[in-house]
Amino acid sequence: PGLSNLVATLFRFEQCRELDVIRNLLQEILQLWNQPELDSIRRSFAIWLSQVMIPHQLPSVQIPEVQSLQEMNAMLAERVQQWYAEREQVGRQKGMQQGMQQGEARILIRQLTRRFGALSAEYLAKIQQADADTLLDWSERLLDAQSLAAVFGDAEQPPTA
């Protein structure tokens, strides 16, 4: 049963994409490999985890080189919360950016509709797919444009005096 548990745990490592799950699996390995004669295997496994498995499974996570599974376990215990906080912050920033971009698109659609009437599906799709800089450019062009085509750069605008 000990070997089959070990093999099952190693397979779960291969599928793992979450730091807290990796830490739980590491604790299982520590319990399964607690015999002194397995020191070299534990050391090799710790190096493999820090240099191969974790960088492959979680490329954005920086792992310092460790010499033992106990060091790896202690390091993960300290860093899991920090990594999750960083990931949460990045997610929050991306969400805010997406929300702002969606708001900019909504405002542009409302302004264009008020000025030029209902927008075609083609223009609506263009707006929804545009990045923030493009939306800003179109919003500025709207101020002087005489047509939808001019706003979107589909036609040359006459020079302004």
Side-chain angles (χ1 to χ4, degrees):
L3 183 58
S4 64
N5 286 344
L6 176 59
V7 171
T9 302
L10 292 175
F11 279 120
R12 291 195 336 236
F13 260 112
E14 286 290 318
Q15 303 302 315
C16 185
R17 299 265 191 270
E18 297 294 327
L19 287 173
D20 56 344
V21 176
I22 289 173
R23 182 161 181 262
N24 291 339
L25 291 171
L26 181 59
Q27 290 171 342
E28 286 182 38
I29 294 284
L30 283 167
Q31 290 173 359
L32 292 169
W33 285 353
N34 61 1
Q35 300 88 354
E37 62 271 13
L38 298 176
D39 282 347
S40 66
I41 292 175
R42 284 193 303 266
R43 189 173 17 267
S44 297
F45 188 69
I47 292 168
W48 175 79
L49 273 177
S50 66
Q51 294 180 2
V52 177
M53 200 287 291
I54 292 177
H56 175 72
Q57 299 293 81
L58 303 163
S60 64
V61 174
Q62 298 297 315
I63 300 287
E65 189 172 320
V66 295
Q67 297 301 316
S68 73
L69 291 178
Q70 289 82 358
E71 282 181 52
M72 175 68 76
N73 190 40
M75 184 271 308
L76 287 175
E78 292 173 12
R79 299 211 176 175
V80 164
Q81 293 303 319
Q82 175 189 350
W83 287 324
Y84 279 120
E86 289 170 4
R87 288 169 72 189
E88 184 179 313
Q89 178 66 24
V90 167
R92 198 175 307 125
Q93 287 172 342
K94 284 182 180 180
M96 286 176 54
Q97 183 179 2
Q98 284 178 332
M100 288 174 49
Q101 192 167 332
Q102 289 171 351
E104 291 168 355
R106 265 185 84 197
I107 290 171
L108 180 60
I109 289 169
R110 287 183 69 160
Q111 290 173 333
L112 289 169
T113 301
R114 184 168 180 167
R115 180 144 184 211
F116 299 111
L119 302 179
S120 69
E122 176 187 337
Y123 281 129
L124 289 171
K126 234 177 168 175
I127 292 168
Q128 296 302 331
Q129 294 169 0
D131 61 29
D133 290 334
T134 303
L135 291 171
L136 182 61
D137 288 343
W138 291 338
S139 296
E140 290 175 353
R141 286 186 201 162
L142 170 64
L143 298 173
D144 300 317
Q146 299 302 310
S147 69
L148 277 171
V151 171
F152 291 97
D154 297 339
E156 288 297 315
Q157 280 188 264
T160 55

